[in-house]
Amino acid sequence: GAVVSQHPSWVICKSGTSVKIECRSLDFQATTMFWYRQFPKQSLMLMATSNEGSKATYEQGVEKDKFLINHASLTLSTLTVTSAHPEDSSFYICSAQQGSEQPQHFGDGTRLSIL
Amino acid sequence: AQKITQTQPGMFVQEKEAVTLDCTYDTSDQSYGLFWYKQPSSGEMIFLIYQGSYDEQNATEGRYSLNFQKARKSANLVISASQLGDSAMYFCAMRERGNTGKLIFGQGTTLQVKP
């Protein structure tokens, strides 16, 4: 149980394009989803917290107009990197939890490379 | 402020031996939760074990056990009978105060199991 699917797993695209990443909880309803960014050999950096039906809460220093988050249902959240540039290249990983007392379950991550 | 510290950037262990990964935390809260996650080179984050601050027993999950020393504010992960597949990065995390469910992650420890 507690499976989180993240798609795509790997993206290469040209500078200036927008990229959408999906995060789905497959066998549970996720009241909250989280989006992280991770640089090589470093820890996870929380970007934003997403609750179904409401606006995402962004961490300090994260541009909300750059990283658009939509949480349209209890099983789906999307992260759109708008007008991506090479400095946006990174590993992005989402997580979902059924309640604030439950552990977060993570997707497999998306490796984003902007040329 | 809440903080998680993992002081071992890298660890080696011989196959079939036990290994302890250190984690210390800092919080003024009485109620908190501690988690360990495993991240293989493929990138996915795998939930391993959870310890609640009021749990009287140390948490165990198969070959994983959590050595919880509340007075010392430590929550070390013990992996018994190491396997080659245990080679990965391991993160200790603490649930942030309040009901957001947000996690504060440590810097991570890279474990390599030698055959």
Side-chain angles (χ1 to χ4, degrees), chain A residues 101, chain B residues 2 25 27-35 50-59 66 68-71 73-75 94-95:
Chain A
E101 295 296 311
Chain B
Q2 292 178 299
Y25 59 92
T27 181
S28 56
D29 291 349
Q30 297 301 311
S31 176
Y32 49 89
L34 297 157
F35 301 80
Y50 167 78
Q51 179 83 44
S53 58
Y54 289 119
D55 293 342
E56 294 184 354
Q57 304 281 341
N58 283 344
L66 202 152
F68 183 46
Q69 305 272 331
K70 196 170 181 177
K73 293 189 176 178
S74 73
M94 179 167 60
R95 183 184 288 128

Side-chain angles (χ1 to χ4, degrees), chain A residues 3-14:
Chain A
V3 178
V4 176
S5 172
Q6 186 171 340
H7 180 81
S9 56
W10 188 49
V11 180
I12 300 177
C13 59
K14 292 182 179 180

Side-chain angles (χ1 to χ4, degrees), chain A residues 8 32 37 39 50 58 76 80 84 91 97-98 101-102 109 114:
Chain A
T32 307
R37 182 174 182 175
F39 293 104
S50 169
Y58 290 82
L76 173 64
T80 301
F91 185 66
Q97 66 180 24
Q98 200 163 8
E101 295 296 311
Q102 299 296 316
I114 309 298

Side-chain angles (χ1 to χ4, degrees), chain B residues 8-103:
Chain B
Q8 305 154 312
M11 290 278 288
F12 288 94
V13 65
Q14 206 67 36
E15 194 178 8
K16 298 181 184 177
E17 291 186 351
V19 63
T20 298
L21 306 183
D22 294 342
C23 173
T24 58
Y25 59 92
D26 190 17
T27 181
S28 56
D29 291 349
Q30 297 301 311
S31 176
Y32 49 89
L34 297 157
F35 301 80
W36 276 92
Y37 286 88
K38 171 185 177 182
Q39 188 178 40
S41 57
S42 49
E44 72 270 29
M45 291 281 284
I46 303 166
F47 166 67
L48 296 178
I49 198 165
Y50 167 78
Q51 179 83 44
S53 58
Y54 289 119
D55 293 342
E56 294 184 354
Q57 304 281 341
N58 283 344
T60 60
E61 284 288 345
R63 293 187 299 112
Y64 304 108
S65 61
L66 202 152
N67 185 359
F68 183 46
Q69 305 272 331
K70 196 170 181 177
R72 295 184 177 182
K73 293 189 176 178
S74 73
N76 299 337
L77 177 70
V78 180
I79 305 175
S80 62
S82 297
Q83 301 172 357
L84 295 178
D86 294 334
S87 295
M89 196 155 186
Y90 289 80
F91 291 98
C92 180
M94 179 167 60
R95 183 184 288 128
E96 193 181 75
R97 64 168 58 96
N99 62 356
T100 65
K102 287 165 64 172
L103 293 177

